[in-house]
Amino acid sequence: MTLNKQDVIVLGGGVAGIEFITRAARKDKNKQFNFILIDKNPLHIWKPMLHTFAAGSQFPSEQSIPLLTQAKRYGYLYQPGEVNDINPLEKKITLAPYRDAQNTEILPERTLHYDYLVVAIGSKSNDFNTKGVKEFSYTIDDLPAAMRFNREFTDSIIQSAILQKKHHLVIVGAGAAGVELSGEIINQILTASNYSNDNFMDYIDVTIIQADDRVVPTFKDSISEAVKHAMEKIGIRIRLSTRVSEVTKDSVILENGETLKADQVVWTAGVKAPEVLSKIKDLALSPTSQLIVNEHFQAIDDPSIFAIGDCAYVQDSPLSTTAQAASQQAIYLGNHFFKMMIQQTNIPSFKYVDKGSLVSIGTYASFGMFGRNTIFRGLEFRGLSAKIAHISLYRQHQMRLLGFFKGLSAWISDRFRKWSR
């Protein structure tokens, strides 16, 4: 580390982490700080796109930003690693040994000192301690998990087609993640059938289970009903007001005692912070282990620690765990971080702007709803307009990271790749 500079460590290269460090490093004109990004994955992935990698309709090699390249471009450091301990009293973090795909140790366990810590490690699905979930279900919480499901699902479909048997896939949770994953899977199955003599739909059965009485419950009733109808139209079975009591190697057992056959189970229900935060003894945590922060995203017990994104819980005003909220938090902290460092007193509190919500079911249907902070508050829209809005969210994120022209070039390149296929 350079002498006399303060070390700012950012944990997590997801939406919140990478947008914050990119913006903050740009603003550090006098190079007062060493900005260091820590993430176990060498690629930045836009989390709302994980379901497309899981289904195989998009590829990480085409829809990612190498963290090392981004760090070089904007003047900060990247270190591969996963935090397994945070010690606020000594201002140290401990990183677990870093291993390659063959489980060979590349880097040993190591400890880093920080002057300021920004925790942006996102969230994971909440299994609510349901029996068997950890042992027998998949998640799509991060890129390795999504790619593991994709590999094993693809092998299962090939096996089912050759052996002429049905593959039963059960998705638990009908929020946006579960709904979009199910739609994308059906889309890929039908696309693959167009290039084969087999109709792969004959060998797949997709069921989605939801504890609530409707799918995507954060949307208006009319959109929820339209999403349900669109899903059923493409062959997805929907079980509402249904809770899972256990997952086994080949089944899902419901609270009412009914057993559903399940060759694969994907758990997308619930949200909680990663387990490493629950081990911190000196900081206040929410019931789901998120760091409790003030209106400036500083931990209420330690002003040298910040938290943004899904792992942050704003005291008295909790925010939704969405990419939209994470991005706004990162922009806010990136704009005001240096003012906080000099203890400026007139810093405005964070104000979340709800621009709306979007959900897509593969290429079949898209739905949107304007947020409460727009002039069209609560107005719903569907079809092409919703699809364009859905795509533009990702493209805007790319442009915030790469700049307008590089972001535009990435968009154009994607179009050419799609046409070439």
Side-chain angles (χ1 to χ4, degrees):
M1 307 298 175
T2 306
L3 197 62
N4 298 326
K5 288 189 177 183
Q6 292 186 304
D7 296 327
V8 180
I9 293 181
V10 179
L11 300 178
V15 173
I18 198 170
E19 287 202 21
F20 163 74
I21 200 169
T22 298
R23 183 172 291 262
R26 280 174 179 166
K27 287 180 172 290
D28 189 18
K29 304 294 185 183
N30 298 322
K31 301 302 177 186
Q32 304 172 63
F33 299 94
N34 288 312
F35 285 98
I36 306 150
L37 178 65
I38 306 291
D39 198 289
K40 65 179 179 180
N41 297 313
L43 301 176
H44 165 70
I45 297 295
W46 195 54
K47 190 172 182 178
M49 190 175 272
L50 282 173
H51 69 281
T52 66
F53 303 137
S57 55
Q58 295 281 6
F59 304 98
S61 59
E62 298 174 357
Q63 303 297 337
S64 62
I65 297 174
L67 294 179
L68 195 60
T69 303
Q70 185 76 356
K72 173 67 175 177
R73 182 180 291 129
Y74 292 107
Y76 59 88
L77 301 175
Y78 164 66
Q79 286 198 31
E82 182 176 18
V83 63
N84 66 6
D85 186 61
I86 299 172
N87 187 332
L89 295 179
E90 297 183 13
K91 290 196 170 186
K92 291 180 180 179
I93 63 166
T94 302
L95 302 180
Y98 184 70
R99 301 178 183 276
D100 64 13
Q102 288 72 45
N103 205 36
T104 302
E105 185 176 297
I106 306 300
L107 293 170
E109 181 179 274
R110 58 206 195 276
T111 300
L112 300 178
H113 169 271
Y114 65 84
D115 293 291
Y116 297 98
L117 182 67
V118 180
V119 183
I121 54 178
S123 62
K124 56 187 292 187
S125 299
N126 191 344
D127 62 18
F128 305 103
N129 296 316
T130 304
K131 186 177 180 181
V133 173
K134 287 184 175 66
E135 295 84 358
F136 301 115
S137 68
Y138 299 79
T139 67
I140 53 169
D141 292 334
D142 56 25
L143 183 59
M147 297 311 296
R148 173 181 167 241
F149 169 75
N150 173 258
R151 288 190 301 271
E152 297 183 18
F153 176 73
T154 301
D155 290 345
S156 296
I157 293 300
I158 292 171
Q159 181 188 63
S160 294
I162 292 174
L163 299 181
Q164 302 283 294
K165 65 175 187 176
K166 189 81 87 172
H167 180 74
H168 299 272
L169 172 66
V170 175
I171 299 172
V172 181
V179 166
E180 293 193 330
L181 175 63
S182 64
E184 205 70 36
I185 284 172
I186 296 297
N187 183 60
Q188 281 302 100
I189 292 293
L190 288 173
T191 300
S193 298
N194 292 333
Y195 296 91
S196 170
N197 292 325
D198 278 310
N199 179 5
F200 291 112
M201 285 297 293
D202 293 338
Y203 310 112
I204 181 73
D205 179 81
V206 179
T207 300
I208 190 164
I209 297 173
Q210 171 73 339
D212 209 306
D213 62 357
R214 58 194 182 98
V215 300
V216 286
T218 57
F219 286 76
K220 293 169 62 175
D221 289 352
S222 56
I223 293 182
S224 292
E225 189 59 34
V227 169
K228 179 176 178 289
H229 176 73
M231 293 171 69
E232 290 175 332
K233 190 174 180 180
I234 58 174
I236 300 169
R237 302 175 191 271
I238 301 172
R239 300 289 298 267
L240 299 176
S241 302
T242 303
R243 294 183 181 274
V244 174
S245 63
E246 183 179 353
V247 177
T248 72
K249 184 179 179 180
D250 56 8
S251 67
V252 169
I253 302 173
L254 306 181
E255 275 193 350
N256 63 7
E258 183 181 355
T259 297
L260 303 180
K261 184 172 177 55
D263 299 300
Q264 285 182 298
V265 178
V266 184
W267 193 278
T268 68
V271 173
K272 67 177 182 179
E275 292 175 4
V276 65
L277 296 184
S278 65
K279 298 188 294 184
I280 304 175
K281 298 179 181 178
D282 304 304
L283 297 176
L285 302 176
S286 75
T288 52
S289 298
Q290 298 161 294
L291 279 172
I292 300 178
V293 296
N294 63 21
E295 69 275 16
H296 304 305
F297 298 103
Q298 288 175 296
I300 60 173
D301 305 301
D302 188 336
S304 68
I305 295 179
F306 298 80
I308 51 176
D310 291 0
C311 65
Y313 183 95
V314 181
Q315 192 175 36
D316 302 324
S317 183
L319 301 169
S320 58
T321 52
T322 63
Q324 178 185 179
S327 178
Q328 289 186 34
Q329 293 169 45
I331 292 170
Y332 170 88
L333 188 59
N335 287 339
H336 298 291
F337 182 77
F338 298 101
K339 300 174 187 176
M340 296 183 202
M341 298 307 96
I342 61 173
Q343 298 183 346
Q344 188 170 319
T345 58
N346 61 339
I347 301 172
S349 299
F350 174 77
K351 300 293 183 186
Y352 175 59
V353 178
D354 179 9
K355 298 178 181 179
S357 303
L358 296 160
V359 63
S360 287
I361 306 169
T363 59
Y364 306 104
S366 296
F367 304 88
M369 183 177 71
F370 285 102
R372 64 178 182 273
N373 299 118
T374 65
I375 60 174
F376 301 110
R377 178 177 179 174
L379 185 67
E380 61 185 76
F381 53 102
R382 308 180 184 191
L384 182 61
S385 60
K387 184 176 182 179
I388 292 172
H390 200 272
I391 293 170
S392 71
L393 287 179
Y394 172 51
R395 299 307 175 182
Q396 289 172 36
H397 172 68
Q398 279 187 312
M399 290 178 183
R400 284 193 293 271
L401 296 180
L402 302 175
F404 177 78
F405 290 109
K406 284 189 175 68
L408 182 61
S409 297
W411 193 343
I412 293 171
S413 296
D414 283 347
R415 299 308 303 170
F416 276 116
R417 274 195 295 266
K418 186 173 181 179
W419 291 333
S420 70
R421 295 186 188 127

